[in-house]
Amino acid sequence: MQFELRLGQQYLPITEEAEVTFLLRLLRDSQKQAAEFPIDIRQVLDRSGSMSEPADGGLTKIEALKAAVKQSLELLRQGKDRLCIVVFDDEMQVILDPTVVSDINAIKRLIGGIDTGNTTHLSSPLRYAIDVGPMKDALPKIIIFTDGLVNTPSEDLEEKACYDLARQANKMGTPLAIFGTGTAYNERFLKRMAELAGRGSYFEHVKQVGAMRLRLEDDLENLKSVQDRDVRVIIQAEPPAEILEAFKYVPQQQNLPVSGKAVQDEFPGLDIRGQAYLIKTKVRTGNAVGDFKVAVITVNWQSPAGNVSKTFDVAVNFTSDENLLSPIDKTVRNTVLNTAAVEATLAGQFPRAQTLFETSGNQDMAEKVKTLGNGDEDKKRTLRTATVTDANKGITGKKGGK
Amino acid sequence: MAGEVECKACMTKNKPGAILCENCGDPLEVQVGTGVAMAVSPTPVAAASGIQGRACVLVQGGSKVADKEFERRMGRLYLKATGSAKTLIRPAGKTDWQEVKKDEEVELAITARFRFGGSEGYVIFEVV
C-alpha cells in the first residue's frame, strides 16, 4: 500500500489560529499484482409484482435484471469464487445455495426460471444471505436489488428488522451494495441500511435496470483488484489541533463522524480505486513559529505477507518569511469545493451546488445539477447518486471497474 | 490577523488556510497553486535509533530522494550533498536555511519519522 498526503498549505503565516486541510490518499502498490482473493457474492434480488412492469429496451424489470445478472456471471472465476442467489417477494426463494462457481450455464438456467410474485419482504432473504457465513479467505459482498417499499408484514417492522441485519453485516465484515430503481422504494431507508452496514457499503439509485450489468461487473472487477485487506485508518488530531470535519470518497462521498479527537474508518479491501480522506482541522498556534504537528495517522492492514501497521505525522510550518508562504493546493481546494457541492446537492440546494461545482472546474457535475435538479423524482434520485459517487471520482486517480 | 482571507460575499474575515467562508460557505478567493503530493513512507533509512534532537532538511532543485545521497551508519543518518542541485538544511523551528556544500556530509538527527514532499520543486525531509 502506498500513501500520499496533500496539505492545503505547507507554509502558513504566523497567526493565532489557522485552518489546515489535508487530503490523505491510500493507493495500491503499483509494483505489486492483486492478491487474487476469492470473491464471495450473495445476491438478494426483488421479484415482487412491480418487477413485471416495463423497463428499458422493451423488457420488463425482472427480465432486464435477469439479463444483467447472467451477463455479469462471466466475470466470476470458476473453481475460485462463490455465488449465492436468493429472490424475494412476500416470501423468499433460494435460487442457488452458496456454491463455488463451476458451471456458469447451469446457474444462468436457474436465473432464467425466476418469475415475479407478490409484495415485498426483504428481511428474511437478507438474513439468509448473512447467515450463510463467510467463505475462508474470501472478500464477501451482499448485493441487494429492489424497486419497492418493504411492506410485508409492515413497513415499520421490516425497516427495523433490516436495520438490525445491516448492523449484523457490519459485525461480520460483510459490506452491502444496495440498488434501488424507480421511485416507489424508500431512499432514506436503503441509504440508512448502507450506513449501518458500513465497511464500504453503499446505496445507488439505478435509472435503468439494464445498467445493473455494469454495476455488478464493476463490483466484481474492483474486488478482484484488491491487494491489501481489512484496512483500518485512524486520524488523530494532535492537540491543540482539532478535527472539524472528515470525509471519505470510496465507494461514495461520506461524512465521517469525529469521535473525541479522532476519525476512524474500516473497509474490507483496498482495490484499484484506492481510498481518500479529506480532513479539515482548526489549529490554535498562539503565534508559534516553525513546524507544527496537526495530526497523527495510523493505518493497519493485512497484506498477503501478514499484518502491517504504519504511523506518520501531518505537520505544517508557520513562517514569517513571505517567500516561503504556499498558495492553496489546487487538488485540496477543488476537493473541498466538490465536497461542499455534493452536500448542497443532497440538501436540495441546487443553485449553490452548481456554483461550487463550476468554481472547482467540475463542469460535468455542474451540468448534471442544472439538468437533473429541475427534473422529476427519478432524475433527482439519479442526481443524488451521481454526485456522491462521481463528483470526486478523480481523487484517487483510478475510476475502478472496467 | 496575518494571512486572514475576507469573503467577498459577506465580508467575514476567515482564518489563514480557509477555503470556504466559515460564515456563508462561499468559496474564498485565495491564491491557488499546484503543490506536490508527499509520498509518505516510513522507510528503513528513517528507522534509525537514537534521538538526536530535531532537524529539517530541504533538498532544493530535485524531486527525487535519489538526487541526494543518504547513508545510514551506526544507527545514524548522514546526508551528502552531491550533484548540481543546491542542498539546504534547516533546524526545525528556525527560518534560516544553511547550505551544505557539494561533497560535504552532515549528520541528520532522526528518530523514526520522516516525510518528503512540499512545495513545487522541493523535496523536504523532516526529521523529528
Side-chain angles (χ1 to χ4, degrees):
Chain A
M1 189 183 302
Q2 295 176 332
F3 307 100
E4 192 181 282
L5 185 66
R6 268 183 189 274
L7 292 165
Q9 276 178 291
Q10 172 88 50
Y11 291 92
L12 292 117
I14 295 166
T15 180
E16 275 286 332
E17 199 169 272
E19 267 187 38
V20 174
T21 307
F22 59 91
L23 185 61
L24 169 69
R25 303 199 242 201
L26 276 52
L27 304 164
R28 294 195 327 159
D29 190 333
S30 55
Q31 305 297 315
K32 291 181 184 168
Q33 298 292 315
E36 298 284 338
F37 294 111
I39 297 169
D40 173 19
I41 295 287
R42 306 169 213 168
Q43 295 185 339
V44 180
L45 309 175
D46 190 343
R47 66 172 199 101
S48 60
S50 55
M51 288 293 286
S52 62
E53 292 167 1
D56 35 301
L59 301 173
T60 64
K61 289 187 212 171
I62 194 75
E63 285 167 346
L65 179 63
K66 281 156 56 176
V69 172
K70 283 196 272 190
Q71 285 162 333
S72 71
L73 295 183
E74 301 292 343
L75 290 182
L76 291 171
R77 294 161 297 188
Q78 297 195 20
K80 187 176 184 95
D81 299 330
R82 189 173 83 163
L83 180 66
C84 163
I85 303 174
V86 54
V87 295
F88 63 96
D89 57 344
D90 52 328
E91 292 181 348
M92 62 169 256
Q93 181 190 353
V94 178
I95 301 296
L96 180 70
D97 279 316
T99 307
V100 174
V101 173
S102 59
D103 185 349
I104 298 269
N105 287 329
I107 300 172
K108 284 182 178 177
R109 284 194 293 276
L110 290 171
I111 294 168
I114 298 171
D115 205 355
T116 52
N118 300 308
T119 53
T120 308
H121 172 74
L122 174 59
S123 59
S124 294
L126 178 56
R127 183 173 293 110
Y128 173 84
I130 292 170
D131 286 348
V132 298
M135 175 191 185
K136 191 174 184 298
D137 296 329
L139 292 166
K141 180 162 272 188
I142 293 177
I143 291 166
I144 300 171
F145 180 91
T146 185
D147 76 336
L149 281 180
V150 288
N151 52 14
T152 306
S154 75
E155 200 176 339
D156 284 351
L157 286 174
E158 266 296 88
E159 287 195 5
K160 185 178 178 310
C162 288
Y163 289 156
D164 287 344
L165 288 165
R167 290 186 189 96
Q168 195 180 328
N170 176 291
K171 279 184 192 161
M172 295 181 73
T174 305
L176 308 180
I178 307 174
F179 300 93
T181 193
T183 55
Y185 71 86
N186 184 333
E187 188 179 7
R188 173 198 52 79
F189 160 64
L190 296 183
K191 272 185 186 172
R192 183 67 184 142
M193 271 181 72
E195 283 167 16
L196 291 171
R199 299 175 187 271
S201 296
Y202 64 92
F203 157 77
E204 269 194 30
H205 175 74
V206 181
K207 187 165 175 55
Q208 295 186 318
V209 182
M212 275 303 291
R213 176 189 173 182
L214 277 179
R215 301 288 195 287
L216 294 169
E217 288 178 347
D218 280 356
D219 257 354
L220 289 172
E221 292 286 6
N222 291 334
L223 286 167
K224 281 177 171 179
S225 71
V226 167
Q227 269 181 352
D228 299 307
R229 57 185 304 171
D230 300 329
V231 184
R232 187 170 183 230
V233 180
I234 302 166
I235 300 161
Q236 177 89 40
E238 183 80 4
E242 188 183 329
I243 297 176
L244 300 176
E245 273 186 308
F247 294 89
K248 69 182 281 193
Y249 296 98
V250 177
Q252 294 176 334
Q253 178 174 315
Q254 186 188 342
N255 196 338
L256 297 173
V258 182
S259 173
K261 293 187 181 307
V263 168
Q264 187 172 315
D265 184 42
E266 288 175 295
F267 55 96
L270 187 74
D271 62 40
I272 195 166
R273 295 167 297 176
Q275 183 56 275
Y277 300 92
L278 181 78
I279 311 292
K280 182 177 162 189
T281 67
K282 182 169 74 177
V283 187
R284 287 184 206 90
T285 63
N287 292 313
V289 182
D291 291 343
F292 205 95
K293 189 151 81 173
V294 176
V296 178
I297 297 170
T298 305
V299 185
N300 302 313
W301 71 93
Q302 192 186 335
S303 79
N307 292 328
V308 187
S309 179
K310 299 283 185 198
T311 299
F312 46 92
D313 297 342
V314 179
V316 291
N317 188 285
F318 291 96
T319 178
S320 57
D321 185 348
E322 287 189 5
N323 295 323
L324 274 177
L325 293 179
S326 338
I328 301 272
D329 180 272
K330 191 177 173 184
T331 305
V332 173
R333 176 179 179 261
N334 287 347
T335 306
V336 169
L337 296 177
N338 278 328
T339 302
V342 171
E343 296 230 299
T345 304
L346 295 179
Q349 300 164 357
F350 300 127
R352 173 172 156 73
Q354 197 182 328
T355 303
L356 286 162
F357 278 132
E358 281 168 354
T359 311
S360 77
N362 195 340
Q363 293 302 333
D364 182 41
M365 288 309 306
E367 192 58 35
K368 274 187 180 155
V369 171
K370 190 177 167 187
T371 53
L372 298 175
N374 292 320
D376 57 19
E377 179 57 22
D378 189 40
K379 285 183 176 161
K380 287 195 172 106
R381 289 185 178 195
T382 303
L383 175 62
R384 286 192 283 270
T385 283
T387 49
V388 292
T389 308
D390 298 337
N392 284 292
K393 216 165 193 172
I395 292 181
T396 51
K398 298 277 187 185
K399 286 192 170 182
K402 288 195 292 186
Chain B
M1 190 193 298
E4 63 187 13
V5 194
E6 187 176 89
C7 174
K8 300 285 184 205
C10 70
M11 305 304 183
T12 298
K13 292 190 189 310
N14 290 273
K15 297 177 197 70
I19 296 170
L20 294 173
C21 175
E22 65 179 348
N23 180 49
C24 68
D26 268 18
L28 297 170
E29 284 185 22
V30 290
Q31 196 189 347
V32 179
T34 306
V36 171
M38 290 174 265
V40 185
S41 176
T43 66
V45 76
S49 61
I51 298 170
Q52 300 290 321
R54 229 169 124 80
C56 191
V57 178
L58 174 72
V59 183
Q60 189 176 27
S63 61
K64 290 179 184 173
V65 182
D67 288 348
K68 302 294 160 199
E69 286 182 13
F70 291 88
E71 191 179 357
R72 186 182 166 194
R73 296 197 299 268
M74 303 291 286
R76 292 181 179 179
L77 180 67
Y78 295 86
L79 162 70
K80 190 172 185 181
T82 56
S84 57
K86 197 173 181 180
T87 303
L88 300 169
I89 64 168
R90 174 174 68 88
K94 300 280 177 64
T95 52
D96 296 332
W97 295 89
Q98 297 166 2
E99 184 173 356
V100 181
K101 292 194 168 51
K102 195 173 176 186
D103 296 327
E104 194 175 83
E105 188 179 73
V106 291
E107 181 192 342
L108 305 180
I110 64 171
T111 55
R113 291 191 289 269
F114 91 142
R115 79 185 148 133
F116 51 97
S119 55
E120 196 166 9
Y122 293 80
V123 176
I124 294 172
F125 290 82
E126 182 194 40
V127 191
V128 181

